[in-house]
Amino acid sequence: MNAVEIEEAISKLAEQPFDAEEFPFAFLQAFGNKETTLKRLRKGESNKSDLGGVLQTNNIHIAVAAPGAVTHTLAALKASPATTRAKAKFVLATDGDTFEAEDLASGETVACAYADFPDHFGFFLPLAGITTVKQVRDSSFDIRATSRLNRLYVELLTDNPDWGTAERKPDMNHFMARLIFCFFAEDTDIFAKPLLFTSSVEQMSAKDSSNTHEVITTLFRAMNMKDAERKAANIPRWADQFPYVNGGLFSGSMDVPRFSRIARSYLIHIGGLDWKKINPDIFGSMIQAVAEDEERGALGMHYTSVPNILKVLNPLFLDDLRTRLDEAGDNPRMLLNLRKRMSRIRVFDPACGSGNFLVIAYKQMREIEAAINKRRGEPDRRSEIPLTNFRGIELRSFPAEIARLALIIAEYQCDVLYRGQKEALRDFLPLDAENWITCGNALRLDWLSICPPTGTGVKHQADDLFHTPLDQAQIDFENEGGEIYICGNPPYVGDKYQTREQKDDLKALAAKDVRAIDYIAGWFWKASDYIRNGGRFAFVSTNSICQGVQVPLIWPKIIAAGQAIFFGHKDFLWGNNAAKNAQVTCIIVGVATSDTKPKCIFDGEERKEVENINFYLAPGKNVIVERANEPISNVAIMFGGNIPRDQGNLLLSPDEARVLTASYPVAAEFIKPILGSNEFINGLERYCLWITDAQAPLAYSIPQIKARLDRIREYRLHGSERGRVGLDTPYKFERTIFGNDHTIIIPRVSSERRTYLPCGLLSADVRLSDQAQALYDAPLWNLALIASRLHLVWIATVCGKMKTDFRYSNTLGWNTFPVPTLTEKNKADLTRCAEDILLVREAYFPATIADLYDPDTMPADLREAHERNDEVLERIYIGRRFRNDTERLEKLFELYTKMAASPGAAKKRKAEARA
């Protein structure tokens, strides 16, 4: 269940007559517990309560109290030994009149009337496996409002299916935006009376809902008409009490979908919510999910958290404003100058969605401005920060419309907070601007024409007529430009998932092959081009743009513009704090002119100032690590594993291998163990058919093998051109390489949790799949290099990742790894270190690599063996241990720069290696 579904279930429970015996089970059912689980609790099989209640292990202890004894019962639940033994997270007591609960980990409590407990449903979301932070719990209203709006939206589309078509969808979305404004306005005194809109619909429309759409149309017409025009337009008296709103919100089509009785009931219930509690900074994204078919399944979980957005905005410009505020103290002139500066700041989000970044930037700036006004003795002063200084581009029409509405609501709330209700109302209506959020393809529009850094005029332009938003008003700025800050969370679309149009967008910007480049690169290039005229930008991005092959493809354009990274947040999960919704591993990258100071790297809660940040989000000089076909150091050649291109027909499970050899003992000579990343790390058995040209006739004589080989041939015949090269040898892997004496294996993918990269030594009889890399018959000291902390730090930085897991590459990770010239003694010392690591592992047989390298349970002697290996290797580099990973990276990048720039020396090293 998602959060909205839980809220609906909880609300229904609260509306029903209180049933003391059934309540604990109904409560648990509302949070997604299955009937089989509840059945066991009812029978007492899993109910561990010692107080006659219901105790679910690792979850909650619930008891129904005697009338008036709720507080006493809650205390008893908390003190219960059974509560402690069952590791309950919550205790809950109610008598059907009063409701009390406590989070035993945080100590937070809920105490309210029983009928009001659905208002606090966010408090209990961990019961459904939804991990929350305080912000999520505080957004209970937004989730409830989204739930109600979703019900209404679905019901209206059921009764008006044509409104769900591509042609009418914009009308439907516009209608929803109007409703949201009306609900907010009637609860915040913007309308003349509380609940004016809802009560007008309820009173003036028939209970059978036959004229509901006509009543709403009349109200919308009134709000789009000045008072002087209403008499001639025959606006009825009951609609005439609504104010003129303007702002384009009620202009255009006045069509309203027809309402069923159920839809009318939903609308009236929505109006009964307290819309003063709306959070425009997160509500926009949540209501967007109502209108997006593919996102509706994540209702109540669809938003970006404010703390994550502030990771972008604070270092981009808000921290500097706060610093200047602190420096100004109570100096009137310095405060005035700061206020004037802020009035000219333009914030631009070229992928604004429903406006989260813009709304939060606006609210934060209003908070700073309010502090200025208070210090200057002008607490009621009207804001000098124009709402139209917050510009955006959004591809989809509904989020663009919601973005503007969210900003309007944020402005009103800030006016109420800092100037008072009376002043806020006086300045609010009529809205005096059209939509300054541009709807269009950001990668095809001219950003300078939409949000010019200087002047006041705006003229939309695009690279061709098709992409120009001709039907949109072009809203000029109120103030001359001063500073421009670009921010946002543009779409991440990997190369393999891009549409033809998206690839064309990138090609239009790059004028070169854009394979392997993430779609988000287009925003980086456009922003870089924009800030040639001044400004800074910071985007949330997939971490791949600062890893692997994308670095040399994306960043040279930005370097050429004289720009550099001035702050970066290392890998973190960008999500919505809901465990049941996918999260993305992200970074944040801020770019400005190269001389911008200070430069800061954020890693979790740690902030570190550095001299320079390279394009791998590491401290050090700007360097781009390019793929290398051969090692730049004097090390062994690394090969990829063997590619089967067989649709699974050359691979055998242990059971398949046993059956085959039992039926045809001669088949044993074709069967070899094969390992990839998963098999090596987790100790899994797998086999393959490894058939030479000389063995082929015999292999074909075995029916089961022949059937497999025939299927491979058919697969390759209809496959890629590369696959057809092996058409005449279907019994062979596409790549067939193995060691004569031994093989050093390196998995291609492994968990970032491990302190060291997993690698190992295998007998020559074992084959490797393409999910592993290999050094065949290489000196053992090579394994010591791979098993070192130095190598892991290098791989983590320059190779790509799958989510946050390491993705090993021979051309990017091994061939570029800078190793100083090793003496024979160095090699002997490293060989001994590698042997020690392998011997310690051997002592723990049959423990797997996954077991041995779990960071929480890694054996002490294995850790010591690795520490000795690190000690020996790092002394070869700098004569002592490195202090930390930052120092390791700085040295590696320094050495890489020297070695990559000396091709002559590299050739000499390779010649020595071959000798």
Side-chain angles (χ1 to χ4, degrees):
M1 295 176 74
N2 64 39
V4 166
E5 292 166 337
I6 291 168
E7 188 279 328
E8 290 176 0
I10 284 292
S11 295
K12 286 179 184 175
L13 175 61
E15 290 165 3
Q16 295 167 1
F18 180 71
D19 183 335
E21 190 173 325
E22 184 60 23
F23 171 78
F25 307 106
F27 184 86
L28 290 171
Q29 187 176 41
F31 281 90
N33 281 269
K34 295 179 180 177
E35 194 55 48
T36 50
T37 303
L38 298 176
K39 191 174 181 180
R40 293 184 64 218
L41 284 169
R42 289 177 197 276
K43 288 183 175 179
E45 294 172 9
S46 58
N47 183 2
K48 308 296 183 183
S49 178
D50 55 355
L51 295 172
V54 174
L55 173 53
Q56 188 177 40
T57 302
N58 296 319
N59 242 6
I60 190 169
H61 198 173
I62 305 172
V64 174
V70 172
T71 302
H72 174 76
T73 301
L74 190 75
L77 288 169
K78 190 175 176 182
S80 159
T83 299
T84 305
R85 282 195 304 272
K87 298 180 180 178
K89 299 183 182 80
F90 296 91
V91 289
L92 186 165
T94 184
D95 58 1
D97 182 40
T98 303
F99 181 99
E100 294 185 18
E102 182 171 342
D103 181 333
L104 296 177
S106 67
E108 290 185 64
T109 58
V110 167
C112 62
Y114 176 81
D116 295 334
F117 84 80
D119 292 341
H120 304 278
F121 81 96
F123 181 83
F124 297 102
L125 283 176
L127 294 177
I130 300 175
T131 306
T132 66
V133 294
K134 186 176 187 297
Q135 184 202 346
V136 185
R137 297 195 293 274
D138 289 348
S139 69
S140 294
F141 170 80
D142 302 278
I143 294 174
R144 296 191 78 186
T146 303
S147 167
R148 302 296 194 274
L149 285 166
N150 180 57
R151 283 191 234 170
L152 174 61
Y153 191 92
V154 171
E155 183 66 24
L156 288 173
L157 287 183
T158 301
D159 297 328
N160 304 268
D162 57 314
W163 283 67
T165 63
E167 185 180 354
R168 297 301 309 271
K169 195 81 173 278
D171 293 333
M172 185 64 175
N173 294 342
H174 199 53
F175 171 69
M176 296 299 290
R178 289 168 172 170
L179 287 185
I180 293 165
F181 176 83
C182 291
F183 293 137
F184 177 73
E186 69 179 1
D187 278 359
T188 53
D189 299 330
I190 293 170
F191 290 167
K193 300 175 187 174
L195 293 175
L196 182 62
F197 176 76
T198 303
S199 60
S200 295
V201 173
E202 186 173 19
Q203 292 165 14
M204 302 310 299
S205 67
K207 289 188 177 180
D208 66 1
S209 75
S210 57
N211 70 334
T212 304
H213 63 291
E214 295 170 355
V215 170
I216 296 173
T217 298
T218 303
L219 295 177
F220 287 176
R221 282 182 61 229
M223 285 183 271
N224 192 46
M225 203 171 289
K226 293 179 181 177
D227 291 347
E229 301 168 351
R230 293 186 177 189
K231 188 172 182 181
N234 294 318
I235 297 296
R237 183 170 301 187
W238 54 268
D240 194 35
Q241 55 191 323
F242 284 82
Y244 170 52
V245 174
N246 194 19
L249 190 60
F250 293 95
S251 62
S253 171
M254 286 294 161
D255 276 4
V256 170
R258 289 185 173 272
F259 277 65
S260 64
R261 281 189 178 189
I262 295 173
R264 178 179 178 272
S265 173
Y266 284 161
L267 184 143
I268 292 166
H269 280 119
I270 293 167
L273 297 174
D274 183 1
W275 283 78
K276 288 193 293 291
K277 297 177 180 177
I278 191 173
N279 290 305
D281 41 11
I282 65 174
F283 177 77
S285 286
M286 295 174 72
I287 188 58
Q288 176 187 332
V290 169
E292 301 292 342
D293 295 337
E294 69 276 11
E295 295 175 7
R296 201 172 297 132
L299 279 171
M301 304 181 185
H302 182 97
Y303 65 89
T304 303
S305 72
V306 175
N308 273 346
I309 290 175
L310 289 176
K311 287 178 181 176
V312 177
L313 298 177
N314 282 340
L316 181 62
F317 73 101
L318 290 175
D319 282 345
D320 180 63
L321 294 181
R322 296 187 189 103
T323 299
R324 299 294 169 259
L325 178 63
D326 290 342
E327 291 173 352
D330 293 321
N331 184 305
R333 180 165 294 280
M334 292 177 70
L335 291 168
L336 178 61
N337 288 339
L338 179 57
R339 188 169 70 195
K340 286 181 178 177
R341 174 191 166 192
M342 289 175 62
S343 72
R344 299 173 66 209
I345 288 175
R346 296 175 181 178
V347 181
F348 178 41
D349 182 348
C352 70
S354 48
N356 307 46
F357 282 80
L358 299 176
V359 167
I360 292 168
Y362 177 77
K363 289 172 72 173
Q364 294 289 317
M365 288 178 68
R366 284 294 302 270
E367 183 180 319
I368 296 168
E369 184 191 45
I372 292 171
N373 292 340
K374 186 175 180 181
R375 292 183 193 184
R376 282 179 54 85
E378 304 168 313
D380 299 329
R381 185 182 180 89
R382 184 175 183 176
S383 175
E384 294 180 21
I385 301 172
L387 207 58
T388 51
N389 272 15
F390 298 79
R391 302 275 166 140
I393 303 174
E394 170 53 37
L395 185 63
R396 297 162 297 177
S397 61
F398 186 53
E401 192 159 349
I402 290 296
R404 183 191 51 147
L405 183 56
L407 280 165
I408 290 170
I409 291 173
E411 181 185 43
Y412 178 77
Q413 289 180 331
C414 286
D415 282 344
V416 170
L417 180 63
Y418 300 123
R419 300 174 59 220
Q421 183 86 352
K422 185 177 178 182
E423 294 295 320
L425 284 170
R426 188 187 69 188
D427 294 333
F428 189 66
L429 292 179
L431 304 177
D432 57 2
E434 297 290 340
N435 196 349
W436 58 95
I437 304 296
T438 302
C439 186
N441 181 345
L443 296 189
R444 295 289 186 161
L445 294 172
D446 176 14
W447 295 5
L448 286 170
S449 70
I450 290 168
C451 188
T454 58
T456 59
V458 172
K459 178 67 178 174
H460 296 165
Q461 294 177 5
D463 63 350
D464 59 56
L465 186 63
F466 180 77
H467 288 95
T468 304
L470 296 175
D471 58 339
Q472 285 190 247
Q474 300 177 51
I475 310 305
D476 289 345
F477 288 96
E478 294 180 27
N479 301 339
E480 282 287 336
E483 302 164 34
I484 183 80
Y485 299 104
I486 303 173
C487 59
N489 184 8
Y492 327 139
V493 188
D495 169 54
K496 294 179 182 177
Y497 305 102
Q498 289 165 20
T499 64
R500 181 180 295 276
E501 290 78 9
Q502 289 170 332
K503 288 189 183 296
D504 288 343
D505 289 343
L506 289 179
K507 286 176 184 175
L509 296 171
K512 64 177 183 181
D513 187 359
V514 293
R515 281 179 296 181
I517 297 179
D518 195 284
Y519 191 48
I520 197 174
W523 274 262
F524 276 81
W525 290 336
K526 290 278 283 188
S528 170
D529 193 46
Y530 182 103
I531 67 169
R532 290 172 189 263
N533 300 282
R536 300 176 175 185
F537 72 85
F539 291 135
V540 183
S541 171
T542 170
N543 56 3
S544 62
I545 71 153
C546 286
Q547 296 172 356
V549 296
Q550 296 213 44
V551 173
L553 296 173
I554 293 172
W555 288 99
K557 278 175 70 78
I558 297 171
I559 299 170
Q563 297 156 9
I565 297 173
F566 76 97
F567 83 90
H569 272 272
K570 292 200 162 190
D571 291 357
F572 67 97
L573 287 176
W574 178 277
N576 46 33
N577 309 306
K580 292 189 177 180
N581 197 40
Q583 293 182 311
V584 182
T585 302
C586 293
I587 55 175
I588 296 172
V589 182
V591 175
T593 55
S594 298
D595 56 356
T596 300
K597 300 288 183 180
K599 290 182 167 67
C600 301
I601 295 176
F602 298 85
D603 194 353
E605 297 301 314
E606 182 185 338
R607 175 186 182 275
K608 182 178 181 181
E609 284 195 23
V610 296
E611 190 63 30
N612 191 63
I613 303 171
N614 67 25
F615 305 113
Y616 300 90
L617 290 193
K621 293 180 180 178
N622 288 339
V623 57
I624 291 180
V625 179
E626 304 254 15
R627 286 183 184 274
N629 292 326
E630 293 183 297
I632 64 170
S633 305
N634 183 5
V635 295
I637 302 292
M638 183 176 289
F639 298 90
N642 299 287
I643 302 171
R645 206 174 293 276
D646 67 332
Q647 220 173 17
N649 286 290
L650 288 175
L651 303 175
L652 303 167
S653 69
D655 285 344
E656 287 172 330
R658 279 192 289 272
V659 169
L660 184 58
T661 53
S663 302
Y664 301 94
V666 70
E669 64 180 274
F670 310 137
I671 297 175
K672 302 285 185 186
I674 186 168
L675 301 179
S677 300
N678 189 34
E679 292 83 8
F680 172 68
I681 291 171
N682 294 299
L684 305 178
E685 258 188 282
R686 205 176 189 195
Y687 296 89
C688 69
L689 293 173
W690 192 268
I691 302 167
T692 66
D693 292 336
Q695 294 170 323
L698 179 59
Y700 271 108
S701 71
I702 299 173
Q704 283 93 328
I705 294 179
K706 181 181 183 301
R708 287 173 174 263
L709 302 184
D710 288 344
R711 288 196 294 269
I712 294 170
R713 191 179 191 286
E714 185 69 16
Y715 170 64
R716 292 181 182 178
L717 178 64
H718 297 98
S720 65
E721 185 177 340
R722 186 171 177 176
R724 287 196 291 274
V725 173
L727 204 56
D728 296 331
T729 54
Y731 50 85
K732 280 187 176 182
F733 281 65
E734 180 183 293
R735 180 191 296 143
T736 54
I737 185 170
F738 55 96
N740 294 314
D741 182 69
H742 63 266
T743 300
I744 295 173
I745 180 175
I746 310 96
R748 279 184 60 188
V749 178
S750 61
S751 170
E752 68 155 358
R753 290 189 68 238
R754 299 189 183 99
T755 315
Y756 299 96
L757 284 173
C759 56
L761 187 67
L762 307 174
S763 71
D765 195 46
V766 179
R767 302 295 182 258
L768 299 192
S769 78
D770 57 344
Q771 292 304 304
Q773 306 281 357
L775 298 174
Y776 294 110
D777 301 326
L780 201 54
W781 53 262
N782 287 275
L783 187 144
L785 299 179
I786 296 165
S788 69
R789 181 71 188 173
L790 266 170
H791 194 56
L792 179 136
V793 168
W794 182 253
I795 292 299
T797 304
V798 306
C799 284
K801 289 184 179 178
M802 291 184 68
K803 298 181 180 178
T804 57
D805 289 346
F806 301 125
R807 185 166 58 190
Y808 199 96
S809 162
N810 56 345
T811 54
L812 261 177
W814 178 250
N815 291 352
T816 63
F817 184 52
V819 180
T821 302
L822 300 176
T823 66
E824 290 305 314
K825 183 179 185 310
N826 294 153
K827 293 176 183 178
D829 291 343
L830 290 171
T831 299
R832 200 156 37 249
C833 290
E835 289 169 344
D836 289 346
I837 291 170
L838 295 172
L839 285 169
V840 173
R841 288 188 197 169
E842 190 77 21
Y844 288 95
F845 181 83
T848 65
I849 292 292
D851 297 331
L852 293 173
Y853 285 85
D854 183 323
D856 299 326
T857 59
M858 186 175 180
D861 51 352
L862 181 57
R863 194 179 294 277
E864 287 167 11
H866 276 281
E867 286 286 342
R868 285 195 299 274
N869 185 53
D870 286 339
E871 172 93 26
V872 169
L873 182 59
E874 292 180 10
R875 285 189 177 279
I876 293 170
Y877 275 79
I878 59 170
R880 60 170 174 81
R881 290 296 302 270
F882 288 101
R883 296 185 182 89
N884 49 46
D885 288 344
T886 299
E887 193 180 27
R888 289 183 178 95
L889 268 182
E890 287 172 350
K891 181 63 181 177
L892 289 170
F893 276 122
E894 174 196 324
L895 197 54
Y896 171 81
T897 304
K898 291 176 183 175
M899 296 175 76
S902 306
K907 284 181 182 177
K908 183 181 176 184
R909 284 191 296 272
K910 289 167 191 169
E912 290 171 352
R914 285 193 290 269

